Amino acid sequence: MFSEPAIGEKFFGRPEVIELLNKRVSALRDGYRQNIALTGPSLAGKSSILHHFLYTLKESDFVTVYVEVLKEPFKAFSDKFIATLLYSSLTKMGERPEIDMNELLAISSSVIPKTYLSIKHINSCIEKSEYDEAYSGLLGLTSILKNEANMSCIVILDEFDNLEYLGIKNPFLNFGKVIMVQKDTMYIVSSSRADAIRKILSEKLSLLFGNFEIIKVSGYDPKTSSEYIDMKLAGYEVDDVIRKFLIIFTDGNPFYLDRLITKARDIAQIRMSNYIDSDVIKVAMLELIYNSGGSIHQYLLNYILELLDTKYKKSYMSILVSIANGHNKQAEISKDLKVRQGEVAKGLARMVEIGLLSKGGIFYTIDDVMLEFWLRFVYQRRREILVNGVLDKMKLFDEEVSSYLSGFIREANRDTISKLVELLNQFSNELVPIDSKYIRLPHFTKVEVKHYHDSKPFIAASFRGKSWIVQTYDYPTSENDIIEYIKNIKTLDLKITNKVVIPLAGMDENAIVLAKELKLSIWDIAIVNTLLALYRKPRIILL
């Protein structure tokens, strides 16, 4: 684990997820078992959520088993599972065991003998390389413990999809068979590979799909990110534009955000200043991302090397760099790399499977925004530089980061409507996923800002004699706003095929109901930012 999980006072945010986990534990006490799957990119905070949940769990009569599933021999996984189960259960029963397998087994032989005998059988199977039988027996231990000691278990398998690397035949099928009959054991699983765990739950565990509640864990939202910046930089002055940059640049990822803020604070202290400006952030980026000893640089390099097969690493890296440089469609990547589309398609499919890429319609995006930046400005540049020497390389990156920051500041000062006009002008008849549906984004021949009779601006996007009327709101949108919008568009002499409202600051429930009744398209800030990302445009952040 590259970053230690944050628990207790170090844990920040995520109240909804923690509350939901606690509710599910309370329901288990009442006889209702609901399994949970946490999905989200690496370092988004899943492990911190799980550790903090265990740290704050007040249900003393539950045995908790947390295991980080690694790509390791089955015996290593089995030993961790058994040791954690025994330590937790014996402690709950008033024993004071040491964290030593021999002592745990010795105590359990007299306190929970049936569980002990089952463990002996599991270890015997492992010695005879009968891993499938040992695996089924391992998962069945919680039921034996329940019958023997009347204690229900909460089993947490972090990076659950790695079960496939333990050398077990059909690990998920066998897992499903066992937990189908385990009504007193609650499972919480996590995975950094959203596509992989979705397939596991919907295909390999199809009978159990409805019994797993899927919770998506992403970076902190803008509000939480801003509060985190305030907490970490108490006593320091931070411009709003720098605050927005930190949020967008890290995508609210707790690891990246924490590293950049901490480094910026250290730099400001050395300069004996309490002001965090663009130059401080630039130096922090140089030290953390470009410098080969920087924690973010090391993490990204290790992350790539671990995920990519050695045999295909060179071709996969070429595809990733191409996407990072703005070629996010298969045909574009193929043309950029001068490689047949069939070969590119295989690489793209594999990287979607392992969680490096996401596919939305015909677009491919790198899930980790920091990884995309690193590939474009660090990995590729280091390979391209012909002049050797640390100073030459550092100077080049310094200039590029300065330009990158300046560009962001210029973009941040632009008004929202002009950004949306630019976005709509990028549409070229693509089919893209929006709000769980696929819609066609037409190639508009004219996109312009117009005004109603009351001078309120709107966007009219036209093609083939038809128009989309787009209305943005940078304040919480109400039912009255929707009524006014409908009244205004009735005054327009246009053939309107799509009415789009963009409530950037949110929308109240009555407004949502009315908008749906009137068949308006609602693009919230998440949808807008998804489209901006697909078309390589900076996202919009409201603080």
Side-chain angles (χ1 to χ4, degrees), residues 25-71:
V25 171
S26 296
L28 181 63
R29 176 189 289 282
D30 296 331
Y32 174 74
R33 191 271 305 269
Q34 174 65 66
N35 299 318
I36 293 173
L38 299 183
T39 69
S42 180
L43 295 182
K46 301 184 298 299
S47 293
S48 289
I49 289 171
L50 295 174
H51 280 82
H52 183 70
F53 161 68
L54 290 175
Y55 178 78
T56 58
L57 186 63
K58 295 182 175 62
E59 302 288 350
S60 59
D61 52 348
F62 285 111
V63 172
T64 56
V65 180
Y66 171 91
V67 179
E68 182 183 6
V69 187
L70 303 174
K71 297 177 183 178

Side-chain angles (χ1 to χ4, degrees), residues 63-302:
V63 172
T64 56
V65 180
Y66 171 91
V67 179
E68 182 183 6
V69 187
L70 303 174
K71 297 177 183 178
E72 60 187 357
F74 173 73
K75 187 178 188 315
F77 170 75
S78 177
D79 284 347
K80 288 189 296 187
F81 191 102
I82 290 169
T84 308
L85 176 73
L86 291 181
Y87 184 82
S88 180
S89 57
L90 291 173
T91 302
K92 291 285 193 303
M93 298 169 74
E95 301 291 333
R96 296 181 178 276
E98 296 291 331
I99 304 177
D100 175 81
M101 181 65 84
N102 291 329
E103 182 178 346
L104 290 169
L105 289 172
I107 297 174
S108 65
S109 65
S110 57
V111 178
I112 40 176
K114 292 181 181 178
T115 304
Y116 168 76
L117 289 174
S118 296
I119 293 171
K120 278 193 67 176
H121 175 69
I122 291 167
N123 287 332
S124 174
C125 289
I126 293 174
E127 288 177 3
K128 293 182 287 187
S129 299
E130 296 172 352
Y131 299 125
D132 294 339
E133 184 174 346
Y135 177 68
S136 296
L138 189 69
L139 295 176
L141 281 177
T142 60
S143 296
I144 294 169
L145 182 65
K146 170 65 177 178
N147 291 332
E148 185 171 32
N150 195 31
M151 290 189 293
S152 297
C153 293
I154 299 170
V155 176
I156 299 175
L157 299 177
D158 206 350
E159 299 301 346
F160 167 72
D161 51 289
N162 282 336
L163 286 175
E164 67 178 295
Y165 298 105
L166 297 180
I168 307 298
K169 293 179 183 178
N170 302 314
F172 303 108
L173 178 63
N174 289 333
F175 177 81
K177 288 179 179 178
V178 172
I179 71 172
M180 277 284 285
V181 296
Q182 287 182 324
K183 303 302 181 184
D184 296 302
T185 301
M186 173 182 169
Y187 285 88
I188 304 174
V189 302
S190 81
S191 173
S192 298
R193 298 192 293 152
D195 190 67
I197 198 167
R198 187 165 51 247
K199 285 185 178 180
I200 290 168
L201 295 178
S202 63
E203 296 173 13
K204 299 178 182 180
L205 293 176
S206 56
L207 293 176
L208 295 167
F209 182 66
N211 197 31
F212 270 89
E213 183 175 7
I214 299 177
I215 303 172
K216 293 181 180 179
V217 178
S218 55
Y220 295 141
D221 60 46
K223 182 176 181 294
T224 304
S225 295
S226 185
E227 291 171 352
Y228 187 75
I229 291 170
D230 286 339
M231 180 191 72
K232 296 287 287 188
L233 292 177
Y236 290 83
E237 186 179 345
V238 186
D239 281 344
D240 272 352
V241 68
I242 295 301
R243 184 185 298 270
K244 287 182 179 180
F245 173 78
L246 288 168
I247 295 169
I248 291 177
F249 184 63
T250 64
D251 200 22
N253 180 293
F255 172 73
Y256 299 140
L257 192 58
D258 180 75
R259 291 299 189 274
L260 276 168
I261 293 171
T262 301
K263 180 61 70 174
R265 186 184 61 207
D266 292 345
I267 293 166
Q269 285 179 348
I270 292 170
R271 296 181 176 185
M272 292 184 288
S273 169
N274 70 339
Y275 188 58
I276 307 295
D277 59 10
S278 60
D279 188 64
V280 169
I281 297 300
K282 180 190 72 174
V283 175
M285 292 169 66
L286 287 168
E287 294 188 15
L288 291 170
I289 304 169
Y290 183 81
N291 190 315
S292 59
S295 57
I296 293 178
H297 181 101
Q298 288 186 336
Y299 164 71
L300 293 172
L301 185 61
N302 292 336

Side-chain angles (χ1 to χ4, degrees), residues 7-19:
I7 61 173
E9 294 181 356
K10 294 182 179 180
F11 186 79
F12 191 85
R14 319 292 194 186
E16 298 86 359
V17 180
I18 297 297
E19 182 182 0

Side-chain angles (χ1 to χ4, degrees), residues 359-538:
K359 184 181 181 184
I362 62 172
F363 296 95
Y364 289 88
T365 56
I366 297 172
D367 288 339
D368 189 323
V369 294
M370 187 68 73
L371 174 60
E372 180 175 313
F373 176 87
W374 181 80
L375 287 166
R376 180 182 176 188
F377 290 102
V378 181
Y379 176 81
Q380 183 186 19
R381 292 293 186 269
R382 281 179 174 271
R383 296 180 64 204
E384 290 177 344
I385 291 174
L386 298 178
V387 179
N388 289 319
V390 176
L391 292 177
D392 295 315
K393 295 178 181 179
M394 190 64 78
K395 181 180 178 182
L396 176 60
F397 190 70
D398 187 309
E399 291 171 352
E400 289 195 325
V401 171
S402 295
S403 176
Y404 186 86
L405 279 163
S406 297
F408 179 89
I409 292 169
R410 285 195 303 273
E411 185 69 22
N413 290 326
R414 290 176 58 204
D415 64 276
T416 301
I417 287 185
S418 66
K419 294 177 184 178
L420 292 172
V421 167
E422 188 175 72
L423 172 65
L424 293 169
N425 270 313
Q426 298 296 309
F427 295 172
S428 188
N429 207 37
E430 297 93 352
L431 192 66
V432 300
I434 293 181
D435 201 18
S436 302
K437 299 176 183 177
Y438 278 86
I439 71 166
R440 184 75 62 181
L441 300 178
H443 177 72
F444 295 116
T445 53
K446 182 185 288 187
V447 181
E448 54 189 339
V449 179
K450 294 187 174 183
H451 294 80
Y452 301 118
H453 62 278
D454 61 0
S455 298
K456 190 177 184 68
F458 67 94
I459 300 172
S462 307
F463 68 106
R464 299 178 185 174
K466 304 171 185 177
S467 296
W468 284 23
I469 303 301
V470 181
Q471 186 68 62
T472 66
Y473 303 91
D474 56 7
Y475 55 85
T477 309
S478 68
E479 187 176 10
N480 289 334
D481 292 314
I482 301 302
I483 293 170
E484 181 187 32
Y485 170 68
I486 293 300
K487 286 181 180 178
N488 280 332
I489 62 174
K490 285 182 179 179
T491 66
L492 303 176
D493 186 22
L494 295 170
K495 184 178 180 181
I496 302 171
T497 58
N498 197 5
K499 309 176 189 72
V500 182
V501 292
I502 302 180
L504 295 172
M507 197 173 193
D508 69 39
E509 201 61 41
N510 290 335
I512 293 173
V513 171
L514 179 59
K516 288 182 177 178
E517 285 178 357
L518 296 171
K519 297 183 178 179
L520 308 185
S521 297
I522 304 172
W523 291 5
D524 61 19
I525 195 165
I527 292 173
V528 170
N529 280 332
T530 297
L531 291 172
L532 287 167
L534 289 177
Y535 290 94
R536 318 295 296 184
K537 302 296 179 184

